[in-house]
Amino acid sequence: MSELHHRFSSSEHTRFFNVLRERVNEHFKSTGTSIYGNTNMTIKTIVVILTYFTPYFLIMTGVVTQPWLFFGCWIMIGIGMAGIGLCVMHDANHGAYSPNARLNMILGYSMNLIGANAEIWKLQHNRLHHTYTNIEGADDDIHTPPVLRFSPYTKRYWIHKYQFLYVWFFYGISTLSWVTMKEFVQLFRYRKLGLIKSKKKFRGMLRRLILWKVIYHTYMLVLPLAILDAPAWLILISFFAMHFTTGLILSLIFQTAHVMPECKFDIADKNGTIHSDWAVHEMMTTSNYAPSSRLFSWMIGGLNYQIEHHLFPKICHVHYRKISKIVASTAKEFNIPYYTQKNFMVALWHHTRMLYRLGRWDAIPEAA
């Protein structure tokens, strides 16, 4: 794969984002509200971190010994892991948690504690996914194993006919892939793409990646196997179930925002040009869901407002619900689509339909 040199072209819609940004800035100025996290965010951080570490300590101290409670604690760790990913590290690694860069860095490294790597995630998510959403060959979120097809520009194989049935398994094992081999593959690919220019930086990232993997697997797998009286098979099955829980939650939250029938997919021309304005492209490749469910939004880090997140990633998610009204009205004024689904189950149904279509058709009409 050659170096990535994609760029967006300007269009008559460039004014849309300028106007929208002014209105959002005015909202925070007029209300005297910071764009960063608040007390709600602090409480949420404490809750999800406790959800992750409390069952771990109950297991490791021998308080929980009954097999079904033991297994249940690992599932709770998986839920806590998803909570850290959705509600803490996500905002921190975007620089949206706090105006304090050091605090953002520290909380961003909570991702490393749950087995992934903040440095590589920033390249995958902040640099590629947020810039080139649903662009074939650039958005790493649609760069899938051959058994999955998330873009109409990806080659279709016969097995893709059934992906709407088996994709849930791959969603479940996605974080197991993260904590083992995926990020090593990504690191070398990003070096080839030119996202990591310096050999010294590359080597440093590789050393830190190995170190954090050792730390994670030591405290989450080696120590339980060495210390606990529980059978090894129960620990291994529980570890797998924990990751399956996390992987399923994270995948469903993110994929229902972009791999949808209404969302646009695109590809750069031979010169690397994407013939669209960036902000309009984000509007056309992203879909919200469940705007009326405050509890659900609280639990998933406001990521049911993916449109607002993609346009304003440096604004903490606790503010998305309020600025969504500004985004929707401005989009309507400029005659730009604002996609949203009534609730999560409707979004999940449409996502499944899209997977079905991608498995059967070489070209998707909505994406053409």
Side-chain angles (χ1 to χ4, degrees):
M1 190 181 293
S2 59
E3 287 197 15
L4 190 65
H5 295 295
H6 289 0
R7 63 187 181 278
F8 287 89
S9 62
S10 59
S11 74
E12 69 277 10
H13 289 299
T14 301
R15 186 168 172 267
F16 159 72
F17 192 53
N18 293 333
V19 171
L20 177 60
R21 187 164 43 197
E22 288 177 6
R23 291 175 179 176
V24 169
N25 289 341
E26 179 58 30
H27 161 76
F28 285 100
K29 183 179 178 180
S30 63
T31 59
T33 306
S34 167
I35 65 172
Y36 300 105
N38 51 22
T39 303
N40 182 2
M41 190 66 175
T42 303
I43 293 171
K44 185 184 299 190
T45 301
I46 294 170
V47 169
V48 297
I49 290 176
L50 287 176
T51 302
Y52 180 75
F53 281 109
T54 300
Y56 175 79
F57 284 113
L58 290 176
I59 291 169
M60 295 302 294
T61 55
V63 174
V64 173
T65 56
Q66 300 92 332
W68 65 275
L69 280 176
F70 183 90
F71 185 81
C73 278
W74 283 91
I75 297 297
M76 186 58 66
I77 294 172
I79 294 171
M81 188 190 304
I84 290 173
L86 294 169
C87 303
V88 180
M89 82 81 191
H90 190 249
D91 285 82
N93 282 321
H94 274 295
Y97 191 101
S98 167
N100 186 317
R102 182 174 292 275
L103 180 59
N104 283 326
M105 182 188 71
I106 292 170
L107 291 174
Y109 269 84
S110 63
M111 186 173 196
N112 295 47
L113 282 177
I114 60 175
N117 184 276
E119 289 182 283
I120 295 174
W121 186 85
K122 286 180 183 179
L123 292 176
Q124 173 196 326
H125 187 79
N126 297 9
R127 186 88 173 267
L128 295 178
H129 174 62
H130 269 260
T131 306
Y132 306 112
T133 310
N134 282 6
I135 300 292
E136 176 68 18
D139 181 2
D140 229 24
D141 280 22
I142 57 172
H143 182 79
T144 59
V147 292
L148 298 175
R149 185 178 188 241
F150 283 0
S151 166
Y153 294 101
T154 302
K155 184 175 180 180
R156 183 172 63 87
Y157 297 101
W158 67 268
I159 196 170
H160 294 142
K161 285 185 178 181
Y162 309 103
Q163 70 172 357
F164 75 103
L165 297 174
Y166 62 70
V167 71
W168 319 107
F169 172 76
F170 285 95
Y171 283 169
I173 64 171
S174 60
T175 58
L176 271 174
S177 172
W178 265 3
V179 302
T180 51
M181 293 304 299
K182 178 181 176 179
E183 289 175 320
F184 289 98
V185 174
Q186 286 180 313
L187 182 62
F188 282 91
R189 190 169 79 252
Y190 295 162
R191 170 70 171 156
K192 194 172 182 180
L193 284 172
L195 300 178
I196 306 169
K197 299 290 186 182
S198 164
K199 287 184 179 179
K200 182 179 179 181
K201 182 178 180 180
F202 171 78
R203 289 168 183 164
M205 289 179 69
L206 180 58
R207 285 194 298 270
R208 289 188 293 275
L209 178 60
I210 294 170
L211 176 62
W212 277 108
K213 296 299 181 190
V214 170
I215 291 171
Y216 173 76
H217 285 94
T218 297
Y219 89 85
M220 282 302 295
L221 197 54
V222 175
L223 285 180
L225 286 169
I227 295 174
L228 299 179
D229 290 331
W233 64 265
L234 178 59
I235 294 171
L236 292 173
I237 288 176
S238 298
F239 181 80
F240 177 85
M242 172 194 73
H243 271 288
F244 199 89
T245 300
T246 306
L248 197 58
I249 292 171
L250 294 179
S251 296
L252 293 182
I253 295 303
F254 283 105
Q255 297 302 342
T256 47
H258 301 292
V259 185
M260 299 287 281
E262 65 270 21
C263 289
K264 177 185 178 183
F265 293 81
D266 210 342
I267 192 168
D269 66 20
K270 62 181 181 180
N271 298 315
T273 302
I274 302 160
H275 296 280
S276 175
D277 172 73
W278 172 80
V280 176
H281 175 83
E282 294 305 309
M283 296 290 293
M284 297 182 71
T285 56
T286 310
S287 179
N288 287 356
Y289 50 83
S292 301
S293 180
R294 294 195 185 191
L295 177 60
F296 182 64
S297 185
W298 190 91
M299 292 171 63
I300 66 168
L303 292 175
N304 54 319
Y305 293 103
Q306 280 279 342
I307 293 172
E308 288 68 29
H309 171 60
H310 270 253
L311 293 175
F312 301 101
K314 292 191 178 297
I315 294 178
C316 185
H317 74 260
V318 295
H319 306 295
Y320 290 163
R321 183 180 65 84
K322 289 185 177 179
I323 69 171
S324 68
K325 297 176 177 62
I326 302 172
V327 177
S329 62
T330 306
K332 184 177 181 180
E333 179 182 330
F334 281 82
N335 198 29
I336 294 170
Y338 182 87
Y339 301 128
T340 186
Q341 303 297 330
K342 182 178 180 181
N343 57 56
F344 179 66
M345 293 310 296
V346 171
L348 189 58
W349 169 247
H350 285 294
H351 173 62
T352 307
R353 285 177 52 222
M354 186 61 177
L355 292 172
Y356 180 90
R357 293 181 182 185
L358 285 165
R360 283 164 169 74
W361 302 340
D362 287 323
I364 306 299
E366 291 86 350

